[in-house]
Amino acid sequence: MTTGRKIKVLLVDDQTMIRQGFSYIINLQDDMEIVGEAADGKEAVEQALALRPDIILMDIQMPNMTGIEASQAIIKQLPSVRIVILTTFNDPDYIYEVIRSGAVGYLLKDADVEDMLEAVRSAYRGEAVYRTDLAADALSRAISSSYLIPNAVGGDAPLLEPLTEREQEILQEMEYGLRNDRIAQKLFISEGTVKSHVHRILHKFGCEDRTQVVVTALRRGMVK
């Protein structure tokens, strides 16, 4: 049983059945709760300003204002709110625009329920959640267009310490968009070991989350 306050989630989707389904699942969790719902982008902005959620699960294609436009408007006024796009479109152009909007994540609606819940928890911890096979290409486009993700840190300052060979391996898998459990399986090490390495990589780059590290590493040519 989780102690302390719950993660406050605002759910934004123009389909009532999808909102009801996700709302039911999230409210069953000990560590999170739905504090509000919105059926379009304009309503999402209004609800975000009124409710001040921790996390917003946001659809892309909606009436009045798209999820990307709503994300930009919300982050401009509430920079601490973390937005995860939840959509049916595995489209690199959408992912690219989501990165530019300042949202911290992009998750497909057909993902496992546990993936969706972990995305909420990861975003709340300050991690980036770009979990599609096209995310790396979109990140590369963001770099090549000279766009830096909002609030990114690290810049071109030297690493605090050189990466070890294992940390370099894990950094490359992070660039591919793999989660800690998938990296652990691929490299035949424990998930706890991966988490420790990721923590040290973040520290060495002086970055706050995985997306910032990948952006910096791409810019420096440290990953493929």
Side-chain angles (χ1 to χ4, degrees), residues 1-2 6-7 9 11 19-35 113-114 116-117 121:
M1 178 74 68
T2 300
K6 295 185 177 183
I7 303 170
V9 181
L11 185 58
R19 294 201 311 274
Q20 289 176 341
F22 285 139
S23 179
Y24 175 77
I25 292 167
I26 289 172
N27 281 328
L28 286 176
Q29 309 308 306
D30 293 332
D31 59 343
M32 61 184 75
E33 63 181 340
I34 295 293
V35 295
V113 169
E114 287 303 319
M116 184 269 288
L117 295 173
R121 296 180 180 110

Side-chain angles (χ1 to χ4, degrees), residues 83-185:
I83 300 175
V84 176
I85 298 296
L86 197 59
T87 179
T88 58
F89 300 101
N90 189 16
D91 186 310
D93 291 332
Y94 276 139
I95 301 171
Y96 175 72
E97 292 303 323
V98 167
I99 292 170
R100 290 179 60 89
S101 77
V104 302
Y106 194 100
L107 189 69
L108 299 180
K109 288 181 180 177
D110 62 0
D112 292 341
V113 169
E114 287 303 319
D115 285 340
M116 184 269 288
L117 295 173
E118 183 55 31
V120 172
R121 296 180 180 110
S122 295
Y124 183 69
R125 292 193 299 265
E127 300 173 10
V129 194
Y130 285 91
R131 293 177 179 166
T132 82
D133 54 357
L134 301 177
D137 288 340
L139 284 166
S140 298
R141 284 179 58 195
I143 295 300
S144 64
S145 67
S146 299
Y147 177 80
L148 297 182
I149 293 176
N151 301 320
V153 295
D156 292 317
L159 297 185
L160 295 177
E161 300 175 50
L163 296 182
T164 65
E165 184 177 347
R166 177 63 84 184
E167 288 166 353
Q168 182 64 47
E169 286 182 308
I170 290 174
L171 175 63
Q172 183 63 64
E173 301 306 327
M174 291 166 62
E175 192 273 339
Y176 291 146
L178 297 187
R179 301 175 308 181
N180 288 347
D181 58 342
R182 305 283 174 79
I183 295 174
Q185 293 171 7

